[in-house]
Amino acid sequence: MIIKKDDVLQTPEALKEIESEWLQQLNGTAIAWFGRAATSLYWAYRAVLSRRVEVSQPEVILPAISCGTLANVALMAGFTPRFADIDPQTGLASLESIQSRWTPRTCAVVFVHLFGQTIELRPLAAWCRSKEVTLIEDAAQALNAQLPDSSPAGSVGDLSVYSFNPSKILECGGGALVVRSESLWAALEREFGTYASLPELDSTTSALLSLSYRNLHHALVALLRLNVGSGVSELFLRVRAAYDSLYLRPIKNSAALATAWQQRASILEQRYRKAELYTRKLADGPWQLLDGWSQSKVCWRYSLLVDFPDQLADFSEAVRRDRFHLSNLYWPTNQFFRPNDACPNADFFARRIVNLWVDNSVTPSWIEQCSSSLVKHATKIAQS
Ligand SMILES: *Cc1c(COP(=O)(O)O)cnc(C)c1O
């Protein structure tokens, strides 16, 4: 599919009002609307690279706990991804670990507001500026989240990306790239050229490729979890480009996004109440509850770190047999893309994390029963 610059870099009519209001809140210069956060990130990377042509083998630092999309798209754009370790209490990249991955080739850092949590970002932003490194905020899970100083997530980095696709806060489809300088916007326009081509994917191909990626990822995570995963990274890197066509999409339905936008506050309020309910029901278990959502006011998934990593698989299975869904979503991405960037805290975190649902698919009574199931099975494990 060939798309015209004007069709992408000009704001859709239905989003004009939203855009100007949102830019004010975020202190931004301009927004490009795409079909996915992945596409937004791809063009963010391209804009950054176009200003650093003197750097050979440019690097971007990504948090080890995030989805593989960030690194896949980085490779597509021409970046070598490097991986920073995380704070084991939150899963968020720590400033020290980001700094320790810096090299003269570092051109960008992506900070992910994981599960809706945030931290004070200004020290990271100041360090990035001092190193001429572009800071990209990934707020796909943190629409409307508040930093500790009350400014919105996505308002500190040079660029920020958002997702409105299924499983995120708004699920109507779409993604956004918020740009916070005239010169970055000019770089984006230049990189985009007059036309950009996007792969034409019919829905069958796209569904099969997505399913294949999910299965591959699950299969490889199981090997890594069992510590029998030697060669996983080589295998993954050999086939990963087969999925590239999934990541680039124009926005399809801007009117649907404009409608969903008006429901942000009430959706977040309901999610927040569900998180409070989990906290009441899960207060005394053999785990640590992540409570960053209470400060940021955004809960993407309710998350806890169990004290029994070796029994986590059995525990998850037992809860699923009671018909409650939970997930252990993220495996450290460095283990797929660059095992030599050791991230022990990410490994610690991935072996303990449990994510629970707070969206429209669950009701308060479901949450109460799910919590009882979690407590029951955790107690059994503690006694065995
Ligand atoms: C879902 C997600 C993305 C990708 O969003 P898409 O709109 O599906 O491309 C990127 N980053 C994070 C943190 C996400 O959770």
Side-chain angles (χ1 to χ4, degrees):
M1 188 191 322
I2 302 294
I3 56 167
K4 238 178 127 179
K5 173 157 86 180
D6 287 355
D7 290 344
V8 171
L9 300 186
Q10 270 180 28
T11 308
E13 201 53 47
L15 294 172
K16 282 198 166 143
E17 230 178 283
I18 287 164
E19 180 177 290
S20 63
E21 220 175 89
W22 202 26
L23 278 173
Q24 265 187 3
Q25 281 166 23
L26 293 178
N27 187 27
T29 304
I31 300 178
W33 301 88
F34 294 105
R36 296 190 57 169
T39 317
S40 312
L41 255 179
Y42 174 79
W43 287 106
Y45 290 147
R46 289 273 304 259
V48 173
L49 284 174
S50 80
R51 304 202 302 175
R52 300 297 300 273
V53 288
E54 79 286 1
V55 180
S56 69
Q57 296 179 301
E59 295 178 353
V60 56
I61 300 173
L62 307 175
I65 295 292
S66 74
C67 56
T69 303
L70 280 68
N72 277 316
V73 174
L75 285 165
M76 283 171 69
F79 265 120
T80 299
R82 300 294 308 267
F83 297 90
D85 208 354
I86 49 115
D87 174 346
Q89 305 300 311
T90 61
L92 297 168
S94 66
L95 179 56
E96 304 75 58
S97 58
I98 291 170
Q99 289 170 332
S100 75
R101 287 293 183 237
W102 182 87
T103 76
R105 294 183 294 279
T106 307
C107 298
V109 168
V110 180
F111 183 87
V112 177
H113 297 276
L114 187 74
F115 311 150
Q117 308 170 97
T118 63
I119 50 169
E120 188 49 72
L121 273 189
R122 292 185 204 275
L124 173 61
W127 177 79
C128 285
R129 259 194 309 280
S130 75
K131 294 285 189 190
E132 283 184 72
V133 164
T134 304
L135 175 59
I136 304 172
E137 286 182 71
D138 180 339
Q141 303 174 358
L143 181 66
N144 272 31
Q146 288 179 20
L147 302 183
D149 69 0
S150 302
S151 54
S155 67
V156 178
D158 303 293
L159 297 154
S160 19
V161 302
Y162 292 83
S163 172
F164 312 112
N165 280 314
S167 91
K168 299 295 155 46
I169 310 247
L170 302 183
E171 307 191 78
C172 51
L177 170 60
V178 178
V179 179
R180 199 159 292 105
S181 81
E182 295 291 349
S183 74
L184 271 168
W185 184 259
L188 180 66
E189 288 192 308
R190 218 167 38 240
E191 268 310 277
F192 209 88
T194 310
Y195 296 100
S197 73
L198 299 179
E200 193 132 25
L201 265 196
D202 59 276
S203 58
T204 310
T205 309
S206 155
L208 261 179
L209 266 183
S210 303
L211 179 66
S212 164
Y213 189 86
R214 209 159 38 242
N215 287 340
L216 175 69
H217 188 254
H218 282 164
L220 298 182
V221 166
L223 292 180
L224 293 166
R225 198 183 285 281
L226 293 167
N227 296 314
V228 293
S230 81
V232 161
S233 172
E234 289 85 344
L235 186 149
F236 175 76
L237 291 173
R238 235 180 7 247
V239 298
R240 57 146 291 280
Y243 302 100
D244 281 357
S245 57
L246 286 171
Y247 297 114
L248 303 181
R249 290 268 179 290
I251 191 163
K252 275 206 203 89
N253 192 342
S254 39
L257 177 52
T259 307
W261 194 259
Q262 309 309 328
Q263 283 138 31
R264 275 174 311 164
S266 73
I267 287 170
L268 289 169
E269 167 76 23
Q270 286 171 31
R271 285 173 165 266
Y272 192 88
R273 289 221 201 92
K274 287 173 182 172
E276 288 180 322
L277 182 54
Y278 277 119
T279 301
R280 284 199 296 279
K281 295 290 163 187
L282 296 174
D284 299 322
W287 41 57
Q288 253 183 82
L289 306 176
L290 271 62
D291 64 357
W293 54 269
S294 67
Q295 178 267 301
S296 72
K297 303 289 182 265
V298 171
C299 184
W300 179 63
R301 294 268 192 268
Y302 192 84
S303 309
L304 47 97
L305 293 167
V306 301
D307 295 343
F308 45 86
D310 296 337
Q311 287 88 34
L312 180 55
D314 294 337
F315 173 72
S316 301
E317 242 347 273
V319 175
R320 288 194 185 110
R321 272 199 302 275
D322 287 348
R323 301 189 182 283
F324 299 106
H325 42 277
L326 75 177
S327 78
N328 324 90
L329 206 57
Y330 294 132
W331 197 260
T333 39
N334 58 305
Q335 296 183 23
F336 289 94
F337 291 91
R338 194 177 176 109
N340 285 343
D341 280 356
C343 296
N345 291 343
D347 194 79
F348 172 96
F349 188 87
R351 291 179 185 280
R352 287 167 176 75
I353 188 73
V354 170
N355 292 122
L356 300 166
W357 268 247
V358 293
D359 65 6
N360 262 336
S361 70
V362 300
T363 62
S365 84
W366 189 97
I367 289 171
E368 292 191 8
Q369 292 165 38
C370 172
S371 300
S372 303
S373 170
L374 291 163
V375 170
K376 178 181 75 184
H377 293 296
T379 310
K380 264 192 230 157
I381 281 168
Q383 285 165 354
S384 67

